[in-house]
Amino acid sequence: DIDSQRLDRLNSAITRAAEKGSRNSVVMLDDLAVVVDVRQRTVVTALTAQQGKERVFTNIDSVVIA
């Protein structure tokens, strides 16, 4: 679950990524890494910092720290 404040930050991060021409991005949102299809404004997957240990993100062209 994500509260409205974090959702607003996520939307802002996606907008910033889109303005830079990103297509697929990882948004770092506190302890959450959210993989986003920027053009479709769709969350592909979300991992907590603990779940993401030793994971590799591929096919992304940007990282946004929200």
Side-chain angles (χ1 to χ4, degrees), residues 14-23 38 61-62 64:
I14 294 169
T15 298
R16 286 183 287 151
E19 289 170 352
K20 296 291 185 180
S22 297
R23 292 182 272 172
V38 175
D61 55 22
S62 62
V64 181

Side-chain angles (χ1 to χ4, degrees), residues 13-62:
I14 294 169
T15 298
R16 286 183 287 151
E19 289 170 352
K20 296 291 185 180
S22 297
R23 292 182 272 172
N24 295 292
S25 184
V26 172
V27 177
M28 301 304 300
L29 187 62
D30 302 325
D31 63 340
L32 194 63
V34 183
V35 180
V36 178
D37 179 329
V38 175
R39 293 175 291 175
Q40 298 294 321
R41 297 187 72 85
T42 304
V43 172
V44 175
T45 192
L47 300 168
T48 64
Q50 189 64 25
Q51 291 172 319
K53 284 191 175 190
E54 298 187 27
R55 303 283 182 176
V56 176
F57 294 105
T58 60
N59 298 322
I60 62 166
D61 55 22
S62 62

